[in-house]
Amino acid sequence: MLWALLCHSRLDIQIQPDDFAAVHTARRAVARQALAWGLTPVSDDAILLVSELVTNALEHSMGPASLAVIPLKCGVRVEVRDTLTSLPVRRSESSDATSGRGLLVVEALANSWGVETHGTGKRVWCEIYAQSSEHGDTSLSRRTSTHRPPAKP
């Protein structure tokens, strides 16, 4: 079961364990909300990052998860909480692997990202910014994250 609530310009979605259909529902909700906020320059990346982070939470945690998407001045912040206390580990790149590229995608698309632990689990977050030029051109602003989990051999 999935439920979403828009509270004061914030999208909150609760995701039940093993509800992989919630990934699709979350992507659609983020697309609609980014459009409503006027943040279409970041919507494609936000949708992909939501998909990666929610999928990771469902695959690696046994409990419920929650997604929060918060509008920023020129972008969005995506936060996924889960009940797993261990930190994510970036896997070594392998052309033979069929999975395990989630954090590589986050590193490539997010302007910044990180992990915060709390008593009952952790929150993985990322921020995506759009940058407007004086000519009205809007493009994504990229910057390298300073957070790098250790690579798994």
Side-chain angles (χ1 to χ4, degrees):
M1 181 60 130
L2 170 101
W3 61 270
L5 177 64
L6 181 61
C7 297
H8 307 290
S9 297
R10 172 186 170 125
L11 178 67
D12 289 294
I13 298 176
Q14 300 299 316
I15 302 161
Q16 297 305 311
D18 297 320
D19 184 8
F20 285 92
V23 177
H24 174 73
T25 305
R27 284 194 311 254
R28 290 182 61 208
V30 170
R32 282 192 308 271
Q33 199 54 50
L35 180 62
W37 287 331
L39 295 170
T40 52
V42 300
S43 65
D44 288 343
D45 285 349
I47 292 165
L48 182 53
L49 291 170
V50 162
S51 183
E52 289 295 333
L53 294 179
V54 170
T55 299
N56 284 350
L58 286 168
E59 285 184 352
H60 301 291
S61 176
M62 297 302 206
S66 65
L67 166 68
V69 183
I70 304 145
L72 304 173
K73 187 174 183 178
C74 293
V76 294
R77 178 179 174 102
V78 173
E79 299 178 350
V80 175
R81 287 181 178 247
D82 65 35
T83 58
L84 190 64
T85 56
S86 63
L87 299 179
V89 176
R90 184 171 41 94
R91 294 186 190 173
S92 298
E93 294 180 44
S94 169
S95 60
D96 296 336
T98 58
S99 65
R101 294 181 181 89
L103 290 180
L104 296 172
V105 171
V106 172
E107 287 179 356
L109 295 179
N111 294 94
S112 59
W113 74 282
V115 179
E116 300 166 356
T117 58
H118 52 85
T120 59
K122 69 179 172 307
R123 173 177 41 226
V124 180
W125 62 268
C126 62
E127 293 182 352
I128 313 153
Y129 312 125
Q131 184 173 345
S132 298
S133 73
E134 64 186 20
H135 303 294
D137 178 37
T138 303
S139 59
L140 290 180
S141 169
R142 297 270 184 244
R143 116 175 143 208
T144 304
S145 172
T146 57
H147 177 80
R148 302 256 185 232
K152 191 179 212 179

